[in-house]
């Protein structure tokens, strides 16, 4: 029997958390299916500066938790940690393929926190 994903929300309520989760799932599905155009559309401009969209390859996984703080969010999947920002165009992935370094800022394959 598998346990359901835990959704942790802070800040603006479940509406934002639901949207953040949906954008994360769309981004990881686009990367997994090789839809680099759609994956890059879901990145912030700053994150897009640091990556070659045609070769975008970051871990995916299923969403395990979402934390929202105003216009910023952190999503933990079974294989990755992603950071998202809310822009005028909606929630976008600011960092993917991120790893914790303890007290120091996360390092990310794409963008950053």
């Amino acid at each position: 029997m598998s346990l359901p994903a835990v959704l942790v929300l802070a800040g603006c309520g479940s509406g934002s958390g639901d949207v953040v989760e949906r954008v994360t799932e769309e981004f990881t599905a686009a990367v997994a299916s090789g839809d680099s155009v759609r994956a890059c559309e879901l990145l912030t401009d700053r994150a897009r500066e640091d990556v070659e969209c045609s070769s975008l390859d970051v871990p995916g996984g299923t969403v395990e938790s979402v934390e929202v703080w105003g216009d910023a969010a952190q999503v933990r999947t079974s294989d990755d940690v992603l950071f998202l920002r809310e822009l005028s165009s909606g929630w976008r992935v600011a960092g993917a393929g991120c790893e914790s370094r303890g007290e120091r800022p996360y390092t990310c394959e794409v963008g950053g926190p």
Side-chain angles (χ1 to χ4, degrees):
M1 177 180 204
S2 65
L3 296 175
V6 175
L7 185 62
V8 178
L9 299 174
C12 296
S14 64
S16 293
D18 292 345
V19 174
V20 168
E21 182 174 4
R22 200 166 38 250
V23 170
T24 301
E25 290 171 343
E26 189 174 346
F27 174 76
T28 57
V31 170
S33 70
D35 186 353
S36 58
V37 172
R38 183 63 185 142
C40 274
E41 288 174 350
L42 293 168
L43 292 173
T44 63
D45 290 342
R46 186 171 182 188
R48 202 175 302 121
E49 290 173 0
D50 297 334
V51 69
E52 179 64 42
C53 287
S54 62
S55 62
L56 188 61
D57 184 27
V58 292
T62 56
V63 173
E64 294 183 343
S65 68
V66 175
E67 294 184 63
V68 178
W69 308 277
D71 66 349
Q74 180 187 60
V75 179
R76 292 183 184 278
T77 71
S78 54
D79 300 323
D80 197 4
V81 175
L82 298 95
F83 293 91
L84 287 83
R85 291 283 183 183
E86 186 177 29
L87 309 174
S88 60
S89 56
W91 285 93
R92 297 291 181 259
V93 176
C98 302
E99 292 185 20
S100 174
R101 299 187 305 158
E103 295 294 319
R104 298 171 55 201
Y106 279 74
T107 59
C108 301
E109 294 176 36
V110 175

